[in-house]
Amino acid sequence: MYAYFNDEIIDLRKGVIQLQNRCYTFGDGLYEVLRIIDGVPVFFEEHLNRLKKSADYFEIKIESSREIKRKVDNLIRINDFSSGELYIQLSRGTDLFREHGIKSLESIVSILTIPLRNINEDNWISGAKVVSFPDMRHGFCNHKTVNLFANVQAKSYAYSNDAYEAIMYRSDSNGKYVTEGGSSNYFFVKSNDVYTPEVDNILPGITREKTISLLQEMGENVVQKRFYFDEIKDADEIFLVSTVSKIMPVKIVDDFSFKIGEKTLKLIKRFEEMIKEYKKSRK
Ligand code: PMP
């Protein structure tokens, strides 16, 4: 298996660890995860757009989307990789002095193809179990930064409780409200409306965006606002969304159980169709 490290193609068995890379010393970098399906990096433009926006915000240099796409296509070909995950990391660069302050450095793009993580198929059929966990993250959660310590804790807590995902919360004067999962966004169907947390220090997920537009096409009323934990028990349907989880029904949140409803099932179908249409347009 090969990977890109800037313009070099590297044999992963030999490995590369550049010890002064600021991603390694400070977590000073950004990343994207895409699905590759039938050799097509799905929603590439949207993912690159999000990466570029954050790179500009944090003043990290980034090469053109066209150049990154050329490398991605080349890597898919060299690795003969038809299905799995694509990881793109943008590090601020190599800093020999390990000084905290931002400097203008040559950034580093690394690109890896990764086998699709092992997910129990039954999660999509019977629904996933999720458990609540406090959101202890920083104030840059609307960017996909490599600082994932708190997400790692949240997901590990979920796994050790036999759950697929965490559902994280913060608190305000009205109580606990849902932010997002360790690596997913949440939706709640209640009295015929569909609620999802507004982008308030959460990742504007690509799948979240696609889900909102599909729901609107389906004629649903999507409300983006704080959704409080005490509203969860009255939800008719709950599902989580992400690049890797796609649209996944949620069956259990802590002590409460939910049915998989019509809206979730219709959405799963529409999302698969959307991916098919995307692949067709890129072949
Ligand atoms: N929130 C977090 C914290 C994530 O890590 C992810 C996965 N990238 C998501 C939401 C879902 O985003 P996307 O649909 O772009 O994969």
Side-chain angles (χ1 to χ4, degrees):
M1 198 72 103
Y2 294 91
Y4 261 103
F5 189 75
N6 278 337
D7 293 327
E8 265 177 86
I9 294 173
I10 280 153
D11 183 343
L12 272 182
R13 279 171 309 190
K14 300 202 176 114
V16 182
I17 301 180
Q18 191 191 32
L19 296 174
Q20 302 105 326
N21 182 323
R22 283 179 69 107
C23 258
Y24 189 64
T25 51
F26 290 119
D28 189 6
L30 302 163
Y31 76 106
E32 282 294 329
V33 174
L34 286 76
R35 267 305 312 272
I36 294 177
I37 304 178
D38 295 328
V40 177
V42 177
F43 307 139
F44 177 84
E45 299 75 12
E46 288 85 343
H47 283 276
L48 256 284
N49 196 16
R50 178 169 68 187
L51 183 63
K52 172 146 183 34
K53 261 197 194 153
S54 294
D56 290 347
Y57 180 83
F58 290 112
E59 297 176 40
I60 302 177
K61 291 181 191 156
I62 182 166
E63 58 196 2
S64 71
S65 298
R66 212 167 147 198
E67 179 55 12
I68 296 178
K69 182 67 171 33
R70 186 191 66 75
K71 291 178 179 175
V72 166
D73 288 341
N74 198 29
L75 194 65
I76 290 173
R77 191 180 52 78
I78 302 171
N79 286 339
D80 192 16
F81 199 79
S82 74
S83 177
E85 299 177 31
L86 180 77
Y87 179 79
I88 304 176
Q89 189 194 74
L90 180 68
S91 163
R92 186 178 300 280
T94 302
D95 181 356
L96 300 183
F97 298 97
R98 200 191 161 273
E99 282 168 351
H100 291 65
I102 291 174
K103 294 180 233 173
S104 180
L105 297 167
E106 286 312 311
S107 63
I108 299 159
V109 177
S110 35
I111 309 175
L112 285 117
T113 51
I114 301 176
L116 187 62
R117 62 199 81 168
N118 225 339
I119 300 177
N120 185 348
E121 287 288 327
D122 194 49
N123 282 339
W124 282 285
I125 299 160
S126 311
K129 174 183 171 185
V130 306
V131 286
S132 60
F133 193 78
D135 189 337
M136 293 192 270
R137 299 172 305 158
H138 48 71
F140 292 118
C141 297
N142 53 328
H143 299 278
K144 213 161 160 52
T145 78
V146 297
N147 298 270
L148 291 173
F149 198 84
N151 303 57
V152 166
Q153 299 304 313
K155 290 211 73 145
S156 301
Y157 175 76
Y159 295 160
S160 58
N161 283 282
D162 209 22
Y164 173 68
E165 176 61 300
I167 179 166
M168 293 193 283
Y169 59 85
R170 295 183 196 262
S171 300
D172 65 13
S173 55
N174 294 318
K176 286 181 187 172
Y177 61 94
V178 176
T179 56
E180 58 188 328
S183 63
S184 57
N185 293 114
Y186 280 88
F187 286 78
F188 306 87
V189 179
K190 196 177 165 191
S191 316
N192 258 338
D193 291 321
V194 187
Y195 295 88
T196 194
E198 63 195 320
V199 179
D200 164 20
N201 204 25
I202 64 163
L203 190 76
I206 305 301
T207 323
R208 176 186 180 278
E209 277 306 309
K210 300 287 178 197
T211 302
I212 292 172
S213 57
L214 284 177
L215 284 165
Q216 286 168 342
E217 266 174 53
M218 282 158 53
E220 302 296 343
N221 183 36
V222 182
V223 186
Q224 299 184 48
K225 69 171 225 3
R226 283 195 178 167
F227 195 84
Y228 288 87
F229 255 75
D230 59 11
E231 299 176 274
I232 289 182
K233 61 181 185 319
D234 301 321
D236 304 316
E237 302 176 34
I238 303 180
F239 52 90
L240 60 86
V241 307
S242 80
T243 294
V244 174
S245 306
K246 298 184 177 174
I247 316 283
M248 184 181 281
V250 170
K251 152 176 90 172
I252 297 174
V253 179
D254 294 340
D255 298 328
F256 299 105
S257 312
F258 303 89
K259 292 208 183 77
I260 304 178
E262 285 305 312
K263 291 194 204 310
T264 310
L265 292 172
K266 193 167 165 195
L267 191 64
I268 290 175
K269 198 162 158 264
R270 280 296 295 122
F271 189 68
E272 289 303 325
E273 284 164 9
M274 190 186 220
I275 291 177
K276 249 193 214 146
E277 283 157 24
Y278 180 89
K279 278 191 317 192
K280 217 163 126 195
S281 70
R282 296 302 185 281
K283 279 271 179 186

